[in-house]
Amino acid sequence: MGGLLFGYDYVVIGGAKPFYEPFFGITGHAFLQGWAMSCALAGCLTGAVISGWMSDSLGRKKLLIVAAGLFVAASLGTGAAGSFSSFVLFRILGGIGIGLASNLSPMYIAEVTPGNVRGRFVSINQLTIVIGILAAQLINWRIARPVPAGATTSDILASWNGQTGWRWMFYACTIPAGLFFILMWFVPESPRWLAQKNVNQIRAKNILSKIGGNEYAMSEFASIEHSINDAKAKTDLSLLKQPGISKLLILGIVLAVFQQWCGINVIFNYAQEIFANAGYSVSDILFNIVITGCVNLIFTFVGMFTVDRLGRKALMLLGAGGLAGIYAVLGTMYFFHIQGLPLLIMVVTAIACYSMSLAPVTWVVLSEIFPNRMRGTAMSIATFSLWAACFILTYTFPLLNQLLNASGTFWLYGCICLLGFLFIFKRLPETKGKSLEQIEQDFSKY
């Protein structure tokens, strides 16, 4: 549910964009349009910052309940916003919920899952993000009433879509947010956090026993205790300064930033501009967005069932190299004004490539590579870096689009993907099939 709400709340604004912009009078103002789209990411940064030390102090479960409450408040507040300022305020509040959930959900899943299936299970978080994205796209499409071809900004403002429809797109998020809030009370705390804090070792062993049986529980608990005792005399910050750990942290930060700067999220957030440049009307754009969401969902399953077979590194290389090539073609198509179905096919291909590789696998790698004692803090730093990169990407796209046009913008993203490919090839070790404690032991020599 954390992943689903992350996906829904992050993408719902893309479908509402053609309608709330005339309502708030920001159409044609690139800086305000960029701020409206990216303000939630300012909240994501805040959520990512506080999630690390708070989850290490209070536990994973309590903070996920807080995230659920923020999603409920943000959904109601954004839908009821009467001014641009209040709209931005509640988007930031929802962003804090995204920042918490995006950090804690994959981390929690990694901490309760056996090593031989961890990649697939952490990928479930990405699957639910994709389901949330698709749900937002479908709901936006069904809520919005048909927009006549050639409709002006004034026509849209005066329509039901411009006054009421976009509000219901945000209100709809209240239902899954409420379910998340209720269901989180029934989820056990992370056994690794319980063992690390020495809060309730019997409870930790019982949770591990439910996961894999008594023998698994004894083995895992012994490994957890060993990894904690090795670092017992050191604080989180002192661990971060160790040469091996600092290299891991840099690796995590670069991968997190690259997942955003590969550029795919602009297709979700700025689908209106991308498809409008391809010659599609507003109603057609909303339907095309649903197509991209379906492809996103299908190929997320592909990533889930290959991450523990092909490995993390192979899929990351496939994603980076594939996107570099696709963006080269996509930029060329925009440059020569090729419109309609051929361009839609290339956009869908880019989403398919990303959905089976960089989207799920980055979260798997980030949830695995950091030691038990400092996982919350390190994940927080990596997630903060991811959302900072996402903020820059989202805010700068309208400006890049004006400066470089769509062709130059996608060529720029292609160059970034090529650099990402080279970094992954040289720096990313393979982690498939190993327990978190085995990975920690291997990376102590990194």
Side-chain angles (χ1 to χ4, degrees):
M1 295 302 295
L4 187 145
L5 284 159
F6 166 7
Y8 188 102
D9 198 63
Y10 181 60
V11 168
V12 65
I13 193 168
K17 185 177 184 292
F19 311 121
Y20 74 72
E21 285 186 348
F23 183 88
F24 294 121
I26 63 173
T27 304
H29 299 279
F31 284 99
L32 291 178
Q33 288 175 313
W35 177 233
M37 292 295 294
S38 60
C39 62
L41 301 177
C44 290
L45 295 176
T46 304
V49 167
I50 65 174
S51 64
W53 63 269
M54 288 190 72
S55 67
D56 281 341
S57 300
L58 303 177
R60 317 322 190 196
K61 176 176 177 174
K62 291 177 183 177
L63 236 58
L64 283 166
I65 292 173
V66 171
L70 290 173
F71 280 125
V72 173
S75 303
L76 295 173
T78 308
S83 67
F84 185 59
S85 297
S86 60
F87 177 86
V88 167
L89 176 64
F90 282 105
R91 284 295 295 165
I92 291 174
L93 197 66
I96 296 174
I98 295 176
L100 293 173
S102 64
N103 185 13
L104 296 174
S105 294
M107 181 168 65
Y108 176 90
I109 295 170
E111 289 185 340
V112 301
T113 310
N116 63 319
V117 292
R118 189 187 314 110
R120 188 179 305 173
F121 272 74
V122 175
S123 295
I124 289 175
N125 181 67
Q126 178 63 27
L127 174 65
T128 59
I129 292 172
V130 171
I131 291 172
I133 289 172
L134 180 58
Q137 293 165 336
L138 283 168
I139 289 170
N140 287 347
W141 176 49
R142 298 310 302 162
I143 286 176
R145 295 178 182 175
V147 179
T152 65
T153 300
S154 299
D155 294 334
I156 294 175
L157 177 59
S159 69
W160 182 84
N161 289 329
Q163 294 294 319
T164 305
W166 67 268
R167 298 182 183 278
W168 283 103
M169 295 175 183
F170 292 104
Y171 284 145
C173 188
T174 307
I175 296 173
L179 285 172
F180 183 33
F181 184 80
I182 294 169
L183 292 171
M184 269 308 305
W185 292 95
F186 298 95
V187 172
E189 183 54 85
S190 163
R192 281 179 165 82
W193 180 83
L194 291 171
Q196 175 192 325
K197 290 297 180 182
N198 201 21
V199 176
N200 191 328
Q201 296 194 1
I202 295 176
R203 186 178 164 203
K205 290 177 183 177
N206 287 339
I207 295 170
L208 288 169
S209 180
K210 288 182 180 180
I211 292 168
N214 290 332
E215 186 176 339
Y216 168 83
M218 293 298 103
S219 173
E220 285 293 293
F221 192 83
S223 295
I224 294 167
E225 280 196 317
H226 179 71
S227 70
I228 291 170
N229 289 335
D230 280 350
K232 208 163 190 179
K234 302 183 180 83
T235 65
D236 283 348
L237 291 178
S238 66
L239 281 168
L240 289 174
K241 295 175 184 177
Q242 290 184 14
I245 300 300
S246 62
K247 287 183 179 179
L248 284 180
L249 190 59
I250 292 170
L251 173 65
I253 290 171
V254 173
L255 292 178
V257 170
F258 175 59
Q259 194 215 41
Q260 295 302 309
W261 282 5
C262 75
I264 203 73
N265 280 330
V266 300
I267 294 176
F268 292 116
N269 288 333
Y270 290 102
Q272 179 189 3
E273 284 87 344
I274 290 170
F275 287 122
N277 287 339
Y280 288 98
S281 67
V282 173
S283 294
D284 288 336
I285 287 170
L286 291 174
F287 179 69
N288 288 346
I289 291 173
V290 173
I291 294 175
T292 63
C294 292
V295 171
N296 195 11
L297 176 61
I298 292 168
F299 279 86
T300 297
F301 280 108
V302 176
M304 284 179 61
F305 289 103
T306 55
V307 66
D308 285 319
R309 297 177 184 178
L310 299 180
R312 285 57 157 155
K313 186 170 184 174
L315 286 178
M316 292 287 280
L317 288 172
L318 173 65
L323 283 177
I326 292 167
Y327 286 155
V329 176
L330 197 56
T332 302
M333 294 177 74
Y334 273 115
F335 184 80
F336 288 106
H337 305 289
I338 298 173
Q339 297 186 337
L341 184 60
L343 193 140
L344 177 61
I345 290 172
M346 290 308 300
V347 169
V348 166
T349 304
I351 290 172
C353 180
Y354 176 78
S355 300
M356 66 176 288
S357 57
L358 299 178
V361 181
T362 300
W363 290 110
V364 174
V365 173
L366 292 179
S367 68
E368 289 179 332
I369 62 175
F370 302 120
N372 279 324
R373 181 172 171 78
M374 54 159 289
R375 183 171 294 114
T377 301
M379 265 293 278
S380 176
I381 293 171
T383 308
F384 176 87
S385 303
L386 184 145
W387 288 120
C390 189
F391 177 87
I392 294 170
L393 176 83
T394 306
Y395 190 81
T396 57
F397 179 76
L399 308 176
L400 288 173
N401 204 25
Q402 283 185 352
L403 181 65
L404 304 176
N405 296 320
S407 57
T409 303
F410 279 107
W411 283 334
L412 175 61
Y413 294 150
C415 291
I416 293 172
C417 288
L418 183 59
L419 293 174
F421 179 91
L422 295 174
F423 179 85
I424 292 166
F425 182 78
K426 292 181 178 180
R427 296 293 303 275
L428 180 62
E430 185 55 71
T431 57
K432 72 171 183 177
K434 300 177 181 179
S435 73
L436 294 179
E437 287 67 41
Q438 286 175 322
I439 294 170
E440 181 175 342
Q441 187 174 10
D442 290 345
F443 280 7
S444 64
K445 307 169 185 177
Y446 183 71

